[in-house]
Each structure stands twice: as C-alpha cells, then as structure tokens.
C-alpha cells in the first residue's frame, strides 16, 4: 500500500475521532481530497482505495485530468474550491458537481445562465472572506447572508453551503465559529471549512466537509 493511501486512511481515522470527540454523528463530515497540482497517476490509487470526493483549484487544470477519471468512476464528486472567473463559468458548470466559491453578483448571474443552458445543477456554496483579507476571494462576512438571499431570490440559485479559508497566521477557531453562525442565519445546511492543518478544529465547530490536500498527497 502506497504512502498516499496510508495517509488517506490516517486522515479518515482522524476525522472519525474528531466527529466522536465533538459528539457528531459518525460519517457527518465529508472528506474532500484536494488533488490540485497532482496528476492522474497520483490520484488513481486514492480513488482505488475508495475515495470519491475531490477538490480542484483551477478549472483548466481539472479539465486536463478529470473527464476521463469521471468516465471511469461515475460516482466521483468533483468540487471547485478555487476562485472562479466568470469566463470559466461554462466549463465549471459542465465539469464540477459542487462549486464552493460563489462570491459576487457577476458569478451568480453567469452560473444561473449556464446552469439553465446546460441543464446541469452543480451544488453551490458561497465563499466568505472571514478575515476580510484584501488579497483573498470571498464575500465580506457582513454581506454574506444578504448575498445568499440575493442568489436565491434574484438568480434562482439553491445555495447549499458556505465555505471559508481563515487567514494563515490566525487561530482558525473564531473564523470557523463565524462561518457556522452565518450558515445558521443564511439557512444553509453545509459548511466547507478546515484544511490539512486545522480540519479537526473545523469539525469541532460544525464543518460538514473538510478540504485536505497535503496531509494525503504530500506537498508538491
């Protein structure tokens, strides 16, 4: 068994332990294995070990490897977890099952158009910039609930969840707590939060999915 597969099982065991610790139901948290920058040869053993949910940062990179993998493994669920440019909305809707980075009006409108055109309905999350970092994508926390409402009422989008990436140099706990609060106010069911360094903390704060890359695949 390769290192990657052993690391996958180790992460899954830690997720199960964190669920138990937080008195969450077993299996309440979905592992999104972040395969950005890794190629098909790296990803294949992880799929063969039973992992079915993956995250990619860039539409173009994902197009290079996932169409064939999704044909071979039709039950794969592919998440877009990187910023989405409006000129890539068409490709994103065609390829991804979940788009986690809706964060502005233009993207919401573009996605609504493409989903109607293609007859495809990927699940949608709104990305919240919990640290109000100027260099980072995501809607400001104070605008998040109103934006979710606009996505639903103006664009007819069913927003299923919220997503955040806390500032690298801050304790992630308060950011996860903020996302959980906003999620309740916005009436969404899912929270995508927590990465390789802090996913156990995220589970304690109510994450329903965690995005883990380097702890499984190693660092590029």
């Amino acid at each position: 068994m390769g290192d990657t597969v052993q690391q996958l099982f180790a992460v899954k065991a830690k997720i199960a332990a964190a669920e138990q610790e937080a008195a969450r139901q077993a299996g309440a948290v979905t592992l999104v294995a972040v395969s950005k920058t890794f190629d098909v040869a790296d990803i294949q053993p992880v799929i063969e070990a039973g992992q079915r949910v993956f995250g990619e940062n860039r539409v173009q990179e994902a197009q290079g490897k996932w169409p064939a993998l999704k044909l071979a493994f039709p039950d794969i669920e592919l998440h877009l977890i990187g910023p989405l440019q409006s000129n890539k909305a068409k490709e994103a809707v065609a390829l991804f099952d979940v788009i986690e980075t809706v964060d502005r009006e233009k993207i919401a409108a573009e996605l609504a158009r493409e989903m109607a055109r293609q007859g495809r309905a990927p699940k949608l999350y709104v990305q919240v910039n919990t640290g109000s970092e100027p260099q980072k994508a995501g809607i400001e926390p104070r605008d998040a609930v109103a934006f979710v409402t606009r996505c639903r009422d103006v664009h007819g989008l069913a927003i299923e969840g919220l997503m955040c990436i806390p500032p690298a140099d801050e304790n992630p706990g308060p950011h996860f707590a903020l996302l959980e609060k906003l999620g309740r106010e916005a009436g969404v069911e899912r929270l995508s939060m927590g990465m390789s360094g802090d996913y156990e903390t995220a589970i304690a704060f109510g994450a329903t999915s965690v995005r883990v890359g380097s702890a499984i695949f190693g660092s590029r």
Side-chain angles (χ1 to χ4, degrees):
M1 187 163 66
D3 282 356
T4 307
V5 171
Q6 278 175 326
Q7 282 153 207
L8 170 72
F9 289 147
V11 167
K12 286 189 164 180
K14 284 183 179 173
I15 288 172
E19 285 172 339
Q20 200 175 0
E21 178 78 17
R24 306 268 309 272
Q25 205 176 341
V29 180
T30 300
L31 169 61
V32 181
V34 178
S35 47
K36 62 174 186 179
T37 75
F38 290 91
D39 55 30
V40 171
D42 298 310
I43 298 165
Q44 191 104 22
V46 177
I47 297 175
E48 282 162 8
Q51 178 63 21
R52 287 294 179 272
V53 186
F54 290 86
E56 288 282 340
N57 257 39
R58 295 171 192 275
V59 175
Q60 220 158 342
E61 186 194 333
Q63 280 178 309
K65 54 192 176 185
W66 282 104
L69 285 170
K70 287 184 87 178
L71 270 179
F73 301 92
D75 55 344
I76 276 174
E77 182 178 277
L78 192 59
H79 290 229
L80 179 64
I81 59 172
L84 177 58
Q85 272 78 45
S86 49
N87 64 352
K88 290 273 186 262
K90 180 181 173 183
E91 291 92 334
V93 168
L95 180 59
F96 289 93
D97 304 294
V98 182
I99 295 171
E100 297 198 10
T101 49
V102 182
D103 67 349
R104 56 199 188 282
E105 205 79 41
K106 190 179 178 185
I107 284 291
E110 205 59 53
L111 286 171
R113 250 196 307 276
E114 276 306 325
M115 285 161 71
R117 218 175 56 80
Q118 296 184 34
R120 270 201 105 226
K123 295 169 180 166
L124 302 176
Y125 292 25
V126 164
Q127 181 173 354
V128 182
N129 186 351
T130 54
S132 299
E133 298 173 275
Q135 80 286 9
K136 202 173 270 180
I139 194 135
E140 285 290 320
R142 65 176 177 273
D143 302 327
V145 176
F147 179 64
V148 169
T149 303
R150 272 204 313 283
C151 285
R152 289 171 176 153
D153 296 351
V154 178
H155 302 289
L157 298 174
I159 300 294
E160 183 178 279
L162 301 181
M163 178 265 226
C164 75
I165 305 168
D169 55 352
E170 288 185 25
N171 172 4
H175 295 273
F176 297 152
L178 173 59
L179 199 73
E180 192 274 334
K181 174 178 171 283
L182 292 171
R184 270 184 291 119
E185 289 172 6
V188 301
E189 286 177 11
R190 299 192 61 81
L191 299 173
S192 170
M193 56 191 196
M195 299 191 288
S196 286
D198 56 21
Y199 64 89
E200 290 157 289
T201 306
I203 291 168
F205 281 97
T208 57
S209 60
V210 293
R211 309 180 303 274
V212 180
S214 56
I216 297 170
F217 292 102
S219 46
R220 253 286 180 244

